[in-house]
Amino acid sequence: MTAKFDIRDLSVSFHGKPVIRHISLQVAANGILGIIGPASSGKTTFLRVLNRMNELEQGSSVTGQVLMDGNDIYRSEVDAVALRKSVGMVFALPVPLPMSIHDNVVYGPTLAGISDRGRLTELTEKSLKAAFLWEEVKDRLNTSGLRLSGGQQQRLCLARVLAMEPGVILLDEPCSGLDPISTAKIEDALTELKRQYTIVLVTNNTKQAARISDETAFFLMGELIEMGPTNQMFTAPRQKRTNDYITGRFG
């Protein structure tokens, strides 16, 4: 396994209150790591560690090491803004910008200084295809992104992240408000995308983690209880608390 991230003794607190306690794990490159666990287990906080978004909140403290491709992303000389371009994030609630579908997709690249129309057109098509949205919108790229359905808006937000050509995609419950058909399209896209990207998926849907994750990590009260290949985690977990959670005995 080639590790994209190597997390060593990670702890995170806000205003002195611990949220994540001494977590160590590796995230494999070109795969999907599913993170499951009940509410208030530190799942989203962990996700935000990987692109240094927690530091945007006052009172946050991060200790330990977070290595990406062998480099500590919390070194003082690391540019957090540049890091977030290479570690994109899709949130639970899709937030398309009040502009056309095309302009939504190329918003980031345009801000980054790309002005060549041919290149922007290429990025639009490539990103929408990767997000499994192109066939549905290719004839109305100048239509407002706000006019898309909820599932389409979420895939548009995924395309917007892909247009920045990151190496890592973080997803925080991206299907929480979507119907089964929209959820399936997101899952199909992620299954294809892992060939080129490292994906970390926080989900409250254990069945979703079982369907598409290569590895699964179970978080509970800020601690990593267990992590392993998804098939093993869902058929023969080593920890009783893991088994209790995935079988619905708590959470």
Side-chain angles (χ1 to χ4, degrees), residues 9-198:
D9 196 28
L10 172 71
S11 293
V12 182
S13 62
F14 294 93
H15 301 287
K17 181 181 179 180
V19 177
I20 289 177
R21 300 176 180 86
H22 304 292
I23 283 177
S24 296
L25 60 85
Q26 290 187 332
V27 180
N30 298 109
I32 301 177
L33 170 63
I35 301 178
I36 61 173
S40 302
S41 289
K43 305 186 300 296
T44 295
T45 297
F46 175 78
L47 207 64
R48 291 163 64 94
V49 161
L50 301 180
N51 66 352
R52 289 180 53 172
M53 284 191 66
N54 288 317
E55 66 189 46
L56 299 176
E57 188 171 335
Q58 286 189 341
S60 66
S61 173
V62 177
T63 61
Q65 280 190 309
V66 181
L67 306 180
M68 185 174 77
D69 297 325
N71 300 307
D72 190 343
I73 66 173
Y74 279 84
R75 295 195 326 271
S76 58
E77 61 267 29
V78 172
D79 184 342
V81 175
L83 172 71
R84 293 176 195 131
K85 291 178 182 178
S86 64
V87 184
M89 191 163 185
V90 178
F91 300 93
L93 182 66
V95 186
L97 301 171
M99 54 183 65
S100 71
I101 294 168
H102 169 271
D103 289 349
N104 261 275
V105 176
V106 300
Y107 182 77
T110 300
L111 283 183
I114 297 177
S115 58
D116 179 79
R117 288 189 179 183
R119 174 62 175 147
L120 293 174
T121 298
E122 176 189 345
L123 276 174
T124 299
E125 181 173 348
K126 177 183 175 183
S127 302
L128 288 170
K129 283 182 174 178
F132 279 39
L133 186 56
W134 173 253
E135 292 299 326
E136 297 169 42
V137 302
K138 63 182 180 181
D139 296 323
R140 48 181 176 137
L141 295 178
N142 292 323
T143 301
S144 171
L146 298 174
R147 295 180 61 183
L148 298 175
S149 69
Q152 289 173 328
Q153 288 185 9
Q154 189 63 292
R155 282 178 283 148
L156 177 63
C157 292
L158 176 58
R160 194 167 65 205
V161 167
L162 295 173
M164 293 300 295
E165 301 183 314
V168 179
I169 306 171
L170 311 177
L171 301 108
D172 190 7
E173 300 180 35
C175 304
S176 61
L178 303 184
D179 61 80
I181 293 175
S182 296
T183 295
K185 289 182 178 180
I186 293 283
E187 292 178 358
D188 288 344
L190 296 180
T191 300
E192 289 295 319
L193 288 169
K194 74 177 183 181
R195 299 179 183 181
Q196 295 178 264
Y197 303 90
T198 299

